[in-house]
């Protein structure tokens, strides 16, 4: 149960009830949507107006991204009433980085002990696992872990949006809403849950060999340093009486955690109480340029198509699910309290590349994007699809088709209808991605357009076949398409 907070995000994406959207997700920002006619008549890649109210969401200066201390009391000021939209967005930004929503997290002592004792392997703020240290944290905690609900007497750290949706761009700038494809979520789980057990008392025979290999450097350090071992034992004493709080992974789950590439994960697996009995892998999405309800309605999309299976109908529905499934009390999180976070997320814009390909190449690729037929499935906001696609249509790994529908799994009553399909994602900002396709199986745009070979993985869930659209075009045209995708 301990890692529920860690895991709740994906479940929230995927499980929230359809049809309970009161429309609050749209927020009432009619003014910031550029819609000129429905569907095909509009340019999917037209720039959205800047509605960030001067907030700094992309910068090399981390302190600037954290608004130089202005986040701390923003929600208090916003909730007191009468504040302006800038305060609302500052409050939403605070929530993005620091709101645990009263969900249960990891006993705080676990990440703290790792950060303190393994600087070379874990790093301040779990930097070695792809997170960013919070400059305001005396304990060197990462941005993306914040106080959660107490577990008995224990303080916990819950995972916030920032753990997965805040990252450094390839050029070194920090960007809110970026998909953290460097984040080694699986390995972090093993370090937090399996490593302490194994370092102190467990037997390797009880654990999956790949999982042990993932944390072996930590285990070696403990084995070689008796003082370190004693420090670990004394730090973890508070957990000793709380066996129900020690997360239990079946071996099979450990195996999966060890193998997910960074930036990918399956949420519906132990120790989350909900295991859908299907192993699927989801790539973390970027949150830039999410369509508001009025924009997607104007383009003919039935819903916001959030999540890879495209089944969550709006951002507000998504946020409600995040709170509820994480074990928070939804009654304490009415829509008006969630709205600052939603408004803030809607204000996130795709950062432009600092080294875009030559403009003429980008323009040539843009024309090819239409003439080669990409536009047929990428004609919605920011190049997303306006409908969902069957796995037969795109040919990508189809494990996700069974998502939430494994043998013997009883779907919770609140579960939305299954789509058995995959969304065609927004394409802007792909220059900053290091993982492509829903399962992150393809490492580059060049590999996606078959300019360099793909690895040829066929193992279920990890497969990198499919979506070979454009692969038969002349090489120069494929290069132009890549230039276009790197230029938007
Ligand atoms: C532990 C990692 C993690 C955390 C924490 C997390 N997310 Fe995500 N998020 C993901 C992954 C992975 C996906 C893709 C999931 C899927 O659909 O299979 C995703 C998808 C989304 C999407 C759908 C985007 C789209 O275009 O389909 C939204 C919106 C989102 N997250 C918002 C949030 C918000 C808001 C928070 C904080 C309240 C949050 N996430 C916390 C990992 C995370
Ligand atoms: C039949 C519909 C269809 C066509 C045609 C199509 N796409 Fe896609 N595209 C999709 C779907 C669906 C996905 C997600 C598939 C998955 O992840 O399993 C996708 C994914 C992508 C991605 C990966 C984005 C990411 O975040 O991982 C890129 C890039 C992309 N398409 C570009 C193109 C280009 C360029 C063309 C034309 C050469 C094209 N697409 C043609 C439907 C289509």
């Amino acid at each position: 149960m301990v890692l529920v907070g860690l895991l709740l995000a994906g479940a929230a994406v995927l499980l929230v009830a359809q049809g309970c959207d009161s429309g609050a997700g749209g927020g009432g920002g009619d003014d910031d949507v550029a819609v000129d006619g429905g569907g095909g008549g509009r340019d999917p890649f037209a720039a959205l107006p800047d509605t960030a109210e001067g907030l700094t969401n992309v910068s090399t200066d981390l302190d600037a991204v954290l608004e130089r201390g202005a986040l701390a009391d923003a929600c208090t000021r916003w909730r007191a009433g009468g504040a302006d939209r800038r305060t609302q967005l500052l409050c939403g930004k605070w929530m993005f980085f620091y709101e645990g929503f009263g969900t249960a997290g990891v006993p705080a002592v676990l990440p703290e002990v790792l950060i303190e004792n393994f600087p070379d392997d874990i790093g301040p703020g779990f930097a070695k696992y792809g997170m960013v240290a919070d400059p305001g944290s005396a304990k060197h905690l990462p941005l993306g872990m914040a106080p959660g609900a107490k577990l008995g007497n224990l303080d916990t750290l819950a995972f916030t949006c920032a753990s997965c949706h805040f990252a450094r761009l390839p050029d070194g700038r920090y960007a809110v809403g970026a998909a953290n494809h460097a984040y080694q979520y699986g390995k972090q789980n093993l370090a937090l849950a399996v490593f302490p057990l194994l370092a102190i008392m467990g037997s390797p025979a009880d654990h999956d060999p790949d999982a042990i290999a993932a944390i072996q450097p930590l285990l070696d350090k403990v084995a070689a340093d008796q003082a370190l071992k004693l420090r670990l034992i004394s730090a973890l004493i508070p957990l000793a009486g709380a066996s129900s709080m020690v997360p239990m992974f079946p071996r099979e789950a450990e195996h999966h955690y060890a193998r997910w590439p960074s930036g990918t994960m399956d949420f519906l697996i132990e120790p989350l109480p909900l295991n859908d009995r299907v192993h699927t892998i989801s790539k973390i999405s970027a949150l830039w340029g999410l369509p508001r309800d009025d924009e997607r309605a104007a383009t003919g999309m039935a819903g916001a198509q959030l999540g890879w299976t495209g089944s969550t109908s709006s951002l507000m529905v998504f946020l409600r699910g995040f709170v509820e499934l994480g074990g928070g009390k939804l009654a304490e999180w009415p829509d008006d309290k969630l709205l600052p976070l939603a408004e803030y997320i809607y204000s996130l814009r795709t950062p432009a590349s600092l080294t875009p390909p030559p403009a003429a190449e980008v323009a040539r690729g843009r024309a090819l994007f239409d003439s080669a037929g990409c536009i047929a499935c990428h004609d919605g906001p920011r190049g997303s699809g306006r409908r969902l696609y069957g796995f037969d249509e795109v040919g990508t790994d189809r494990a996700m088709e069974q998502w939430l529908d494994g043998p013997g799994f009883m779907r919770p009553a609140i579960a939305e209808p299954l789509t058995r399909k995959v969304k065609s994602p927004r394409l802007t900002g792909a220059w900053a991605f290091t993982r492509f396709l829903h399962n992150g199986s393809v490492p580059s745009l060049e590999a996606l357009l078959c300019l360099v070979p793909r690895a040829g993985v066929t193992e279920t869930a990890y497969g990198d076949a499919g979506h070979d659209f454009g692969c038969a075009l002349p090489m120069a045209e494929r290069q132009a398409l890549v230039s276009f995708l790197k230029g938007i």
Side-chain angles (χ1 to χ4, degrees):
M1 294 290 172
V2 167
L3 295 190
V4 167
L6 184 63
L7 295 155
L8 63 86
V13 176
L14 307 163
L15 287 179
V16 286
Q18 188 100 312
C20 65
D21 181 23
S22 61
D30 303 357
D31 54 334
D32 76 344
V33 178
V35 177
D36 40 31
R42 48 188 296 291
D43 176 6
F45 301 103
L48 284 172
D50 179 348
T51 59
E53 302 285 340
L55 268 61
T56 304
N57 292 318
V58 183
S59 174
T60 49
D61 180 350
L62 184 54
D63 194 43
V65 173
L66 296 173
E67 305 295 340
R68 306 200 190 285
L71 298 179
D73 66 343
C75 286
T76 312
R77 288 190 289 126
W78 171 252
R79 287 171 195 155
D84 57 8
R85 177 173 151 88
R86 182 181 160 83
T87 307
Q88 182 188 37
L89 295 188
L90 287 169
C91 170
K93 190 169 189 176
W94 182 88
M95 292 170 78
F96 190 94
F97 280 98
Y98 299 111
E99 181 55 72
F101 290 106
T103 56
V106 191
V109 64
L110 289 170
E112 285 169 14
V113 94
L114 286 169
I115 289 168
E116 198 178 321
N117 291 291
F118 300 90
D120 299 337
D121 302 278
I122 304 289
F126 275 99
K128 304 280 176 179
Y129 286 4
M131 297 181 94
V132 177
D134 185 344
S137 164
K139 290 181 171 167
H140 307 294
L141 293 173
L143 289 164
M145 292 184 96
K150 285 228 171 197
L151 271 178
N153 291 329
L154 295 177
D155 288 331
T156 70
L157 289 170
F159 281 68
T160 72
C161 314
S163 57
C164 295
H165 297 292
F166 172 64
R168 296 190 85 158
L169 300 174
D171 54 43
R173 287 177 294 168
Y174 298 94
V176 189
N180 191 356
H181 290 167
Y183 183 24
Q184 301 195 50
Y185 171 85
K187 204 170 159 186
Q188 184 183 36
N189 270 275
L190 295 173
L192 287 168
V194 179
F195 161 69
L197 285 178
L198 212 45
I200 292 174
M201 56 178 192
S203 153
D206 297 337
H207 297 277
D208 175 77
D210 287 339
I212 296 177
I215 52 175
Q216 194 62 50
L218 304 177
L219 293 169
D220 289 346
K221 286 209 168 141
V222 177
D225 184 344
Q226 191 62 21
L228 174 60
K229 184 166 182 175
L230 290 174
R231 280 208 302 284
L232 272 187
I233 291 172
S234 72
L236 298 177
I237 278 174
L239 297 186
S243 59
S244 65
M245 293 171 196
V246 176
M248 302 306 270
F249 286 78
R251 280 179 80 117
E252 191 196 355
E254 287 184 358
H255 184 70
H256 293 321
Y257 278 83
R259 295 203 49 221
W260 299 326
S262 66
T264 69
M265 56 200 71
D266 176 355
F267 295 105
L268 299 175
I269 183 175
E270 292 88 354
L272 196 80
L274 207 66
N275 181 336
D276 66 352
R277 312 261 156 238
V278 194
H279 182 224
T280 56
I281 302 179
S282 294
K283 174 183 82 153
I284 300 174
S285 311
L287 302 184
W288 300 315
L290 245 63
R292 283 179 172 277
D293 291 354
D294 44 6
E295 184 187 17
R296 58 123 185 115
T299 54
M301 289 166 75
Q305 298 182 355
L306 299 177
W308 279 107
T309 66
S311 42
T312 303
S313 58
S314 83
L315 185 53
M316 193 52 83
V317 172
F318 180 98
L319 295 177
R320 289 184 204 131
F322 188 95
V323 175
E324 189 151 41
L325 289 149
K329 298 191 181 78
L330 199 53
E332 291 171 12
W333 289 99
D335 286 358
D336 64 326
K337 263 178 97 179
L338 294 172
L339 194 59
L341 178 57
E343 283 296 315
Y344 175 66
I345 291 171
Y346 280 130
S347 79
L348 295 171
R349 296 290 177 266
T350 308
S353 167
L354 297 179
T355 52
E361 267 292 278
V362 175
R364 195 163 108 82
R366 175 69 186 85
L368 280 162
F369 192 82
D370 285 1
S371 61
C374 314
I375 194 75
C377 305
H378 292 284
D379 60 344
R382 269 62 70 202
S384 56
R386 294 191 296 130
R387 65 169 176 92
L388 301 174
Y389 293 86
F391 287 88
D392 283 335
E393 291 176 272
V394 279
T396 51
D397 186 282
R398 44 197 322 157
M400 189 69 92
E401 196 173 30
Q402 303 303 316
W403 175 79
L404 212 55
D405 199 24
F409 176 70
M410 294 287 290
R411 263 188 299 147
I414 62 158
E416 63 200 345
L418 298 174
T419 67
R420 300 187 191 286
K421 292 186 175 171
V422 62
K423 78 189 269 175
S424 168
R426 294 178 302 283
L427 299 178
T428 55
W431 65 269
F433 298 174
T434 53
R435 305 250 177 250
F436 293 87
L437 296 181
H438 73 270
N439 59 356
S441 59
V442 172
S444 66
L445 287 169
E446 286 79 2
L448 191 70
L449 272 296
C450 308
L451 285 160
V452 298
R454 299 190 198 174
V457 181
T458 54
E459 186 185 354
T460 304
Y462 292 92
D464 66 353
H467 197 292
D468 46 11
F469 307 111
C471 286
L473 293 171
M475 189 175 279
E477 297 192 358
R478 284 184 272 154
Q479 258 147 4
L481 279 171
V482 168
S483 293
F484 165 61
L485 292 166
K486 288 186 176 174
I488 53 169

mmCIF file of all heavy atoms in Angstrom, residues 15-48:
data_model
loop_
_atom_site.group_PDB
_atom_site.id
_atom_site.type_symbol
_atom_site.label_atom_id
_atom_site.label_comp_id
_atom_site.label_asym_id
_atom_site.label_seq_id
_atom_site.Cartn_x
_atom_site.Cartn_y
_atom_site.Cartn_z
ATOM 1 N N LEU A 15 -8.903 5.706 -15.129
ATOM 2 C CA LEU A 15 -10.082 5.111 -14.527
ATOM 3 C C LEU A 15 -11.234 6.058 -14.316
ATOM 4 O O LEU A 15 -12.307 5.641 -13.942
ATOM 5 C CB LEU A 15 -9.717 4.533 -13.145
ATOM 6 C CG LEU A 15 -8.896 3.257 -13.211
ATOM 7 C CD1 LEU A 15 -8.567 2.801 -11.811
ATOM 8 C CD2 LEU A 15 -9.659 2.196 -13.942
ATOM 9 N N VAL A 16 -11.002 7.325 -14.499
ATOM 10 C CA VAL A 16 -12.045 8.261 -14.124
ATOM 11 C C VAL A 16 -13.315 8.040 -14.929
ATOM 12 O O VAL A 16 -13.288 7.662 -16.077
ATOM 13 C CB VAL A 16 -11.586 9.711 -14.281
ATOM 14 C CG1 VAL A 16 -10.645 10.057 -13.181
ATOM 15 C CG2 VAL A 16 -10.961 9.930 -15.622
ATOM 16 N N ALA A 17 -14.409 8.272 -14.238
ATOM 17 C CA ALA A 17 -15.700 7.994 -14.853
ATOM 18 C C ALA A 17 -15.988 8.950 -15.995
ATOM 19 O O ALA A 17 -15.728 10.137 -15.928
ATOM 20 C CB ALA A 17 -16.777 8.118 -13.798
ATOM 21 N N GLN A 18 -16.498 8.388 -17.033
ATOM 22 C CA GLN A 18 -16.920 9.178 -18.189
ATOM 23 C C GLN A 18 -18.283 9.765 -17.873
ATOM 24 O O GLN A 18 -19.057 9.182 -17.153
ATOM 25 C CB GLN A 18 -17.048 8.220 -19.379
ATOM 26 C CG GLN A 18 -17.295 8.905 -20.680
ATOM 27 C CD GLN A 18 -15.977 9.005 -21.465
ATOM 28 O OE1 GLN A 18 -14.975 9.401 -20.927
ATOM 29 N NE2 GLN A 18 -16.022 8.636 -22.712
ATOM 30 N N GLY A 19 -18.573 10.882 -18.407
ATOM 31 C CA GLY A 19 -19.938 11.385 -18.361
ATOM 32 C C GLY A 19 -20.282 12.132 -17.100
ATOM 33 O O GLY A 19 -21.404 12.579 -16.937
ATOM 34 N N CYS A 20 -19.331 12.297 -16.164
ATOM 35 C CA CYS A 20 -19.660 13.064 -14.978
ATOM 36 C C CYS A 20 -19.056 14.451 -15.089
ATOM 37 O O CYS A 20 -18.919 15.182 -14.133
ATOM 38 C CB CYS A 20 -19.190 12.378 -13.707
ATOM 39 S SG CYS A 20 -17.415 12.261 -13.600
ATOM 40 N N ASP A 21 -18.677 14.818 -16.295
ATOM 41 C CA ASP A 21 -18.058 16.122 -16.478
ATOM 42 C C ASP A 21 -19.127 17.186 -16.573
ATOM 43 O O ASP A 21 -19.974 17.162 -17.444
ATOM 44 C CB ASP A 21 -17.235 16.106 -17.769
ATOM 45 C CG ASP A 21 -16.556 17.445 -17.998
ATOM 46 O OD1 ASP A 21 -16.365 18.184 -17.024
ATOM 47 O OD2 ASP A 21 -16.246 17.726 -19.157
ATOM 48 N N SER A 22 -19.052 18.119 -15.659
ATOM 49 C CA SER A 22 -20.056 19.167 -15.667
ATOM 50 C C SER A 22 -19.651 20.304 -16.588
ATOM 51 O O SER A 22 -20.315 21.317 -16.674
ATOM 52 C CB SER A 22 -20.222 19.711 -14.250
ATOM 53 O OG SER A 22 -18.979 20.244 -13.835
ATOM 54 N N GLY A 23 -18.528 20.131 -17.238
ATOM 55 C CA GLY A 23 -18.076 21.184 -18.123
ATOM 56 C C GLY A 23 -17.150 22.151 -17.409
ATOM 57 O O GLY A 23 -16.621 23.075 -18.004
ATOM 58 N N ALA A 24 -16.910 21.891 -16.130
ATOM 59 C CA ALA A 24 -16.077 22.818 -15.374
ATOM 60 C C ALA A 24 -14.652 22.852 -15.894
ATOM 61 O O ALA A 24 -13.948 23.833 -15.726
ATOM 62 C CB ALA A 24 -16.059 22.429 -13.906
ATOM 63 N N GLY A 25 -14.243 21.778 -16.543
ATOM 64 C CA GLY A 25 -12.877 21.721 -17.031
ATOM 65 C C GLY A 25 -12.576 22.810 -18.038
ATOM 66 O O GLY A 25 -11.439 23.201 -18.229
ATOM 67 N N GLY A 26 -13.575 23.294 -18.699
ATOM 68 C CA GLY A 26 -13.343 24.316 -19.705
ATOM 69 C C GLY A 26 -12.960 25.636 -19.085
ATOM 70 O O GLY A 26 -12.285 26.443 -19.701
ATOM 71 N N GLY A 27 -13.424 25.842 -17.884
ATOM 72 C CA GLY A 27 -12.957 26.988 -17.136
ATOM 73 C C GLY A 27 -13.507 28.327 -17.551
ATOM 74 O O GLY A 27 -13.579 29.230 -16.783
ATOM 75 N N GLY A 28 -13.959 28.491 -18.727
ATOM 76 C CA GLY A 28 -14.484 29.797 -19.100
ATOM 77 C C GLY A 28 -13.445 30.683 -19.738
ATOM 78 O O GLY A 28 -13.534 31.903 -19.691
ATOM 79 N N GLY A 29 -12.431 30.101 -20.320
ATOM 80 C CA GLY A 29 -11.412 30.929 -20.958
ATOM 81 C C GLY A 29 -11.617 31.008 -22.457
ATOM 82 O O GLY A 29 -10.712 30.710 -23.216
ATOM 83 N N ASP A 30 -12.794 31.413 -22.890
ATOM 84 C CA ASP A 30 -13.081 31.457 -24.330
ATOM 85 C C ASP A 30 -12.044 32.286 -25.083
ATOM 86 O O ASP A 30 -11.801 32.084 -26.250
ATOM 87 C CB ASP A 30 -14.448 32.101 -24.606
ATOM 88 C CG ASP A 30 -15.561 31.375 -23.899
ATOM 89 O OD1 ASP A 30 -15.258 30.353 -23.256
ATOM 90 O OD2 ASP A 30 -16.685 31.811 -23.975
ATOM 91 N N ASP A 31 -11.466 33.213 -24.341
ATOM 92 C CA ASP A 31 -10.586 34.171 -25.009
ATOM 93 C C ASP A 31 -9.255 33.584 -25.445
ATOM 94 O O ASP A 31 -8.565 34.169 -26.252
ATOM 95 C CB ASP A 31 -10.329 35.348 -24.069
ATOM 96 C CG ASP A 31 -9.805 34.902 -22.722
ATOM 97 O OD1 ASP A 31 -10.094 33.749 -22.338
ATOM 98 O OD2 ASP A 31 -9.120 35.668 -22.069
ATOM 99 N N ASP A 32 -8.883 32.410 -24.908
ATOM 100 C CA ASP A 32 -7.536 31.970 -25.247
ATOM 101 C C ASP A 32 -7.512 30.778 -26.191
ATOM 102 O O ASP A 32 -6.603 29.997 -26.226
ATOM 103 C CB ASP A 32 -6.722 31.671 -23.984
ATOM 104 C CG ASP A 32 -7.112 30.361 -23.359
ATOM 105 O OD1 ASP A 32 -8.186 29.862 -23.707
ATOM 106 O OD2 ASP A 32 -6.344 29.843 -22.549
ATOM 107 N N VAL A 33 -8.543 30.631 -26.993
ATOM 108 C CA VAL A 33 -8.556 29.524 -27.928
ATOM 109 C C VAL A 33 -8.648 30.067 -29.350
ATOM 110 O O VAL A 33 -9.514 30.857 -29.671
ATOM 111 C CB VAL A 33 -9.751 28.593 -27.654
ATOM 112 C CG1 VAL A 33 -9.772 27.478 -28.671
ATOM 113 C CG2 VAL A 33 -9.657 28.029 -26.252
ATOM 114 N N ALA A 34 -7.702 29.644 -30.145
ATOM 115 C CA ALA A 34 -7.726 30.096 -31.535
ATOM 116 C C ALA A 34 -8.449 29.062 -32.383
ATOM 117 O O ALA A 34 -7.904 28.029 -32.726
ATOM 118 C CB ALA A 34 -6.306 30.270 -32.044
ATOM 119 N N VAL A 35 -9.679 29.284 -32.645
ATOM 120 C CA VAL A 35 -10.450 28.355 -33.463
ATOM 121 C C VAL A 35 -11.048 29.132 -34.624
ATOM 122 O O VAL A 35 -11.777 30.093 -34.427
ATOM 123 C CB VAL A 35 -11.596 27.714 -32.651
ATOM 124 C CG1 VAL A 35 -12.413 26.805 -33.547
ATOM 125 C CG2 VAL A 35 -11.058 26.948 -31.468
ATOM 126 N N ASP A 36 -10.684 28.715 -35.811
ATOM 127 C CA ASP A 36 -11.295 29.389 -36.942
ATOM 128 C C ASP A 36 -11.986 28.352 -37.810
ATOM 129 O O ASP A 36 -11.444 27.879 -38.792
ATOM 130 C CB ASP A 36 -10.274 30.202 -37.746
ATOM 131 C CG ASP A 36 -8.961 29.457 -37.881
ATOM 132 O OD1 ASP A 36 -9.022 28.221 -37.914
ATOM 133 O OD2 ASP A 36 -7.921 30.083 -37.952
ATOM 134 N N GLY A 37 -13.146 27.972 -37.374
ATOM 135 C CA GLY A 37 -13.895 26.980 -38.124
ATOM 136 C C GLY A 37 -13.571 25.597 -37.617
ATOM 137 O O GLY A 37 -12.619 25.385 -36.892
ATOM 138 N N GLY A 38 -14.361 24.604 -37.987
ATOM 139 C CA GLY A 38 -14.169 23.266 -37.451
ATOM 140 C C GLY A 38 -13.239 22.423 -38.301
ATOM 141 O O GLY A 38 -13.013 22.698 -39.467
ATOM 142 N N GLY A 39 -12.682 21.384 -37.666
ATOM 143 C CA GLY A 39 -11.958 20.334 -38.351
ATOM 144 C C GLY A 39 -10.930 20.797 -39.346
ATOM 145 O O GLY A 39 -10.035 21.582 -39.032
ATOM 146 N N GLY A 40 -11.054 20.314 -40.564
ATOM 147 C CA GLY A 40 -10.028 20.468 -41.574
ATOM 148 C C GLY A 40 -9.702 21.901 -41.964
ATOM 149 O O GLY A 40 -8.623 22.172 -42.482
ATOM 150 N N GLY A 41 -10.602 22.813 -41.725
ATOM 151 C CA GLY A 41 -10.369 24.185 -42.167
ATOM 152 C C GLY A 41 -9.312 24.924 -41.359
ATOM 153 O O GLY A 41 -8.823 25.967 -41.784
ATOM 154 N N ARG A 42 -8.928 24.379 -40.212
ATOM 155 C CA ARG A 42 -8.029 25.133 -39.357
ATOM 156 C C ARG A 42 -6.629 24.535 -39.387
ATOM 157 O O ARG A 42 -6.449 23.371 -39.734
ATOM 158 C CB ARG A 42 -8.577 25.158 -37.929
ATOM 159 C CG ARG A 42 -9.004 23.789 -37.443
ATOM 160 C CD ARG A 42 -9.712 23.856 -36.126
ATOM 161 N NE ARG A 42 -8.847 24.337 -35.084
ATOM 162 C CZ ARG A 42 -7.826 23.658 -34.602
ATOM 163 N NH1 ARG A 42 -7.515 22.486 -35.071
ATOM 164 N NH2 ARG A 42 -7.101 24.155 -33.622
ATOM 165 N N ASP A 43 -5.659 25.317 -39.018
ATOM 166 C CA ASP A 43 -4.285 24.830 -38.969
ATOM 167 C C ASP A 43 -4.029 24.228 -37.596
ATOM 168 O O ASP A 43 -4.006 24.943 -36.592
ATOM 169 C CB ASP A 43 -3.319 26.001 -39.226
ATOM 170 C CG ASP A 43 -1.870 25.557 -39.086
ATOM 171 O OD1 ASP A 43 -1.623 24.346 -38.907
ATOM 172 O OD2 ASP A 43 -0.987 26.443 -39.148
ATOM 173 N N PRO A 44 -3.832 22.903 -37.544
ATOM 174 C CA PRO A 44 -3.663 22.268 -36.233
ATOM 175 C C PRO A 44 -2.454 22.816 -35.482
ATOM 176 O O PRO A 44 -2.375 22.697 -34.262
ATOM 177 C CB PRO A 44 -3.439 20.787 -36.562
ATOM 178 C CG PRO A 44 -3.697 20.610 -38.002
ATOM 179 C CD PRO A 44 -3.702 21.953 -38.654
ATOM 180 N N PHE A 45 -1.501 23.379 -36.225
ATOM 181 C CA PHE A 45 -0.250 23.794 -35.587
ATOM 182 C C PHE A 45 -0.182 25.301 -35.342
ATOM 183 O O PHE A 45 0.864 25.824 -34.973
ATOM 184 C CB PHE A 45 0.942 23.310 -36.428
ATOM 185 C CG PHE A 45 0.942 21.821 -36.589
ATOM 186 C CD1 PHE A 45 0.529 21.220 -37.782
ATOM 187 C CD2 PHE A 45 1.292 20.990 -35.534
ATOM 188 C CE1 PHE A 45 0.501 19.838 -37.920
ATOM 189 C CE2 PHE A 45 1.266 19.604 -35.661
ATOM 190 C CZ PHE A 45 0.869 19.028 -36.859
ATOM 191 N N ALA A 46 -1.305 25.991 -35.557
ATOM 192 C CA ALA A 46 -1.330 27.434 -35.291
ATOM 193 C C ALA A 46 -0.977 27.682 -33.827
ATOM 194 O O ALA A 46 -1.424 26.958 -32.933
ATOM 195 C CB ALA A 46 -2.718 27.990 -35.595
ATOM 196 N N ALA A 47 -0.169 28.715 -33.595
ATOM 197 C CA ALA A 47 0.260 28.998 -32.217
ATOM 198 C C ALA A 47 -0.941 29.412 -31.376
ATOM 199 O O ALA A 47 -1.816 30.142 -31.829
ATOM 200 C CB ALA A 47 1.304 30.102 -32.233
ATOM 201 N N LEU A 48 -0.969 28.923 -30.141
ATOM 202 C CA LEU A 48 -1.997 29.357 -29.203
ATOM 203 C C LEU A 48 -1.563 30.674 -28.573
ATOM 204 O O LEU A 48 -0.373 30.922 -28.398
ATOM 205 C CB LEU A 48 -2.135 28.318 -28.076
ATOM 206 C CG LEU A 48 -2.874 27.023 -28.392
ATOM 207 C CD1 LEU A 48 -2.735 26.055 -27.227
ATOM 208 C CD2 LEU A 48 -4.335 27.306 -28.676
#
